[in-house]
Amino acid sequence: MPRRIYIFDTTLRDGEQVPGAKLNTEQKLIVAKQLEKLGVDIIEAGFPASSPGDARAVNLVAKQTKGPIVAGLARCLKNDIDILWESIKDAKRPRIHVFLAASDIHIEKKLRLDRQRALEMAITAVKYAKKYCNDVEFSPEDATRADFDYLCKVVEGTIKAGATVINIPDTVGYTIPEEFSELIRKLIGRVPNIDKAILSVHCHNDLGLAVANSIAAIRSGANQVECTINGIGERAGNAALEEIVMILKTRLENFETNIFTPEIYATSRLVSRMMNIPVQPNKAIVGSNAFAHSAGIHQDGILKDRRTYEIIRPEDVGLKKHLLVLTARSGRAAVRHRLSELGYELSDDMFEKVYQRFLAVADRKKEICAEDLKSIVEIELTKVPEVYSLLRMQVMSGNETLPLAALTLKKGDKLITDASVGNGPVDAVFRCINRITGLNATLIDFDLKAITKGTDALGEAMVKIEVNGQVFAGRAASPDVIEAAARAYLNAANRYFAISKQ
Ligand code: KIV
Ligand code: ZN
């Protein structure tokens, strides 16, 4: 009988900590619903004490997802645990996840405590959480750099206090597979009450080993693995869910998960778009080139028998072409039907916004396929109230011309027109927006890609700007790539203006 591995998804908590990836409540719920469809066992929906907005979003996820356990994160502080419980208590199966530093460097330098005090705090917090909820997970943060005897004491003490899951984090992505494997094996051998808890691991990717370390730990006895879609997360990210699941499915038949793998690709796209984090083309399992065969010898082999160069069937991770194409003549019913097939159940208000944008795009691009439609929806969902909106733009560029952009933006009832030159047309447009709005931002990321193939493809632009030390992301799509860039930049700027109350 294969051993069951529980998939704990932390895309909405550790993944959401990436600068510019913050989701609003509606987006969080859409991602949570997709994770439910994917079949994850646990959704870590957020860190409610970090902001009232996050507490509300976690609460909505707790109320509206029925399958998975809904967990939230808290420090070992009563107030954090109280706020967390308020957010998740409506879940069918809630879980409180508390964490506290276990390595000396974290205990002494970050918390300015000693081991004894840290141990007491962890035990007190687990006991406190236990008053609310039977399912309590404890994570000794930075466990892989902790003193092993002390780690054993913490694990034993927190299980005795009632922890039902013990999660061993490689917080800074420091360990290597053999060492981590050994750590898990030694913990199982040494901690006398370890069988009273599910043993979990949580690996970061600073040395590119998060997935390898997670697999090594599973093979040594861990039963739960914490991961994120596309491997997003703090710094170099977390272990990628899709990679762990497909490694187990393709190579390690002694293990099984509850993941419905044909939903992997759709989940990856959704998270990438919602969080403004592009997926690198050569990313395992979900990169755009992961199943593309370009070398002649490979193409020849694939045509003869695809197993020559394919170890996973693309359809097993949900890569299939959607054939139904919409046009400017498609009515509301057809668009709604297609959206619902793609998994989007929108409110009437949101549907109307999507439909109007669909018509505007379909007027310029003859055929709207599934990928175009997904992009339109996800951009509408990420929009913020517009302080400035784009009314008109005219751009001049060429090999012997100084690129020039002239824009008219609308602010309330006022129309403001200005022009700017730049190093290229996109630069000219961004400078022009800065001139009109008075924005003083540093561009930290800009990505432009065609959503589908063909010269009339919808271009999708993603922009990240930094203003006063804070990062704001924006996204937009248009058949005109310069217009897409302008709208994305304005979208990010409006996010800043929304909080700066301009
Ligand atoms: O990386 C880490 O240590 C964490 C814990 C809160 C589990 O994210
Ligand atoms: Zn983490």
Side-chain angles (χ1 to χ4, degrees), residues 10 13-14 17 169-171 202-204 226 234-235 237-238:
T10 182
R13 199 277 297 168
D14 223 332
Q17 287 171 212
D170 182 29
T171 303
H202 173 117
C203 296
H204 279 269
E226 303 200 352
E234 280 280 347
R235 308 180 308 278
N238 290 56

Side-chain angles (χ1 to χ4, degrees), residues 196-218:
K196 306 268 182 311
I198 290 174
L199 191 56
S200 166
V201 290
H202 173 117
C203 296
H204 279 269
N205 205 31
D206 299 65
L207 294 173
L209 290 170
V211 169
N213 288 333
S214 304
I215 295 289
I218 289 171

Side-chain angles (χ1 to χ4, degrees), residues 160 187 206 216 225 303-304 347 379 394 439 465 487:
K160 206 161 150 217
L187 268 176
D206 299 65
V225 64
L303 289 174
K304 288 176 175 145
S347 65
I379 286 167
Q394 205 178 344
L439 182 71
I465 56 173
R487 289 187 184 279

Side-chain angles (χ1 to χ4, degrees), residues 8 10 13-14 17 44 47 73-74 97-100 106 137-143 167-173 202-204 226 234-235 238:
F8 178 116
T10 182
R13 199 277 297 168
D14 223 332
Q17 287 171 212
E44 186 164 52
F47 185 179
L73 185 69
H97 179 190
V98 284
F99 74 101
L100 193 83
H106 277 223
E137 171 168 334
F138 177 75
S139 290
E141 194 191 9
D142 201 19
N167 176 47
I168 305 298
D170 182 29
T171 303
V172 290
H202 173 117
C203 296
H204 279 269
E226 303 200 352
E234 280 280 347
R235 308 180 308 278
N238 290 56

Side-chain angles (χ1 to χ4, degrees), residues 8 42-46 58 69-73 84 88 94-97:
F8 178 116
I42 303 108
I43 294 176
E44 186 164 52
V58 172
I69 292 173
V70 177
L73 185 69
L84 169 54
I88 57 161
R95 174 182 293 179
I96 293 179
H97 179 190

